[in-house]
Amino acid sequence: MFAKYLQKHKTKNEFIYITYIMKLIFVTWWVISGLWKGITAASIGRMMKSAGYKVTMAKMDPYLQIDAGTMSPYEHGETFVTTDWFETDLDLWHYERFINEELTRYSSVTTGQIYRSVMTKERRGDYLGKTVQVIPHVTNEIKDRIRKLSEWSDVAIIEIWGTVWDIEWPHFIEAMRQLRHDLWKENVLFVHVAPIVTVTTSWEMKTKAIQHSIIKLREVWIHANVLVCRTQKPLEDWVKWKLAMFCDIDESRIIEAVDQNIYQVPLAFQKQWLDKYIIKRFFNEDKGSDLTKREELVNKLMNPKKEITVWISGKYTNLDDSYISVLEALKHAWANYDTKINIERLETTEYQWDNWQDKLQKFISDKNISAIVSPGWFGDRGIEWMINVANYCRGNNLPYLWLCLGLQVATIAFARNICEIPHANSREFDPNGNQNVIDIMETQKWITKKWWTMRLGSYDAILKPDTKIRNLYKEFNQIDLSSNLVKERHRHRFEVNPNYHKKLLENWFVVSGTSPDGTLVEFIEIPDHKYYAATQAHPELKSRINKPHPLFLWLVKASIS
Ligand code: GLN
């Protein structure tokens, strides 16, 4: 039957992209963004993985950039980095955390990449004699990407950004529609996420917006199989009935996603039998997923025994999505230590106070802050104030975790105050400085294209025996003990200048980890301090609820004590 089907299409179309094993779930959305379509996709992934299937995931983004690297976090939330040095949308981070798999650059598809590839092929002469068009050339390119991605998985879950009739979306939706046609509908599932609008005067749940979104999808020949309703409170029976009736979707497949902790979402979906429905439909098996471990962790998150406050001191603190991985990494440590973590946000430029020592002290004691995390950023805004905070925390034994730029700031502060290098700075903030303890590496200086100067992706570091950081990785079982090797993700341009290594080390600056050849500083710590750790990497990108990162665990532990 299937072979027949393929043959039929081989004669009709120029290309056959599809293999019969593909099982695809497309997640679409409508009305407003921020509906948890990423969390919905990731939660489905978690359920499928916990049921024993191999899962992969991807995000289709409409923008023309090749990657998310050049966008400010205020534009698009935090930038995530894959192990294979690719900068992506932060949804990929949700996917990795939820399905507990490392994804690659192939999981991040943008319109820019698709068009670049089509144009390269066009110039190479691949389409000679043909008119190059959105259909079939652009849509085939998208389908090809999906095929490659799903080759080694039982299920591929693909999130599509953009709503129906968005000017940026048609090529993705057409590719999605064609795949359903090529693959037979049994192998493709459409999950549509839309909000229940609640009118605050009567608190009545309104379904019209959702009904319209389903109609819109039908205009492009997509019929949602599952409808996920984002709602502030559980759906009343009549709402489900009405949606089922007017959207022509079985009532059992109207799923509610009530406002809650994101880690609860897979559990909530499981309770509504979504896992069983998908498994039955795709694999004809009567089984569900096993989320017992997740349930235990969620219980710890929901019922903490202690409480602390952590100050996130950074440049983009006004938007939670900008530092979401840091916030979530703290939550992972929270689940591990039964300790609720309240977050205090004060942007670096907001505390340019006169008499800063007293004011900083007052802020810290008023807010009851027991630890500080300084996440990474680019540009010089707020740097001098961070240097002040670095000195304050070193002197006052306040637990401090410095991430990426943080390590650079901590080094500058240390160089100025302890090593007597008065004009210590970074080439990023003082391009002509002659005491740049943080600098661009010699090998990168000739590079003119900005992107190429970035150290991106996963890099090895060797930790020094008997350092706190090494023992910490050991305590939490995240180090290769035979070589003291750890792998962390990077996204930065500058490094501790090797010309200053000696001078810094003479002044008990403890380098707890370097690149395998010893040239790049990866971790530093300060002995006799409650917790003062810095890393050139972004450990928050690897933290997961079932595998919290040692540096965050230690921060919480030090703060509780
Ligand atoms: N701006 C610094 C650099 O390029 C740090 C970047 C970051 O914190 N991710 O090296």
Side-chain angles (χ1 to χ4, degrees), residues 147-165:
R147 180 186 64 76
K148 282 197 185 115
L149 179 89
S150 25
E151 244 162 28
W152 304 107
S153 302
D154 298 320
V155 188
I157 303 164
I158 293 141
E159 180 190 342
I160 313 267
W161 196 96
T163 63
V164 182
W165 299 129

Side-chain angles (χ1 to χ4, degrees), residues 375-379 403-406 408 428 454 491-495 536 538:
W377 74 83
F378 293 80
L403 306 172
C404 201
L405 180 93
Q408 300 172 3
E428 185 177 7
M454 287 281 265
R491 181 174 182 255
H492 58 100
R493 193 164 278 125
F494 299 89
E495 310 280 351
Q536 190 56 78
H538 287 282

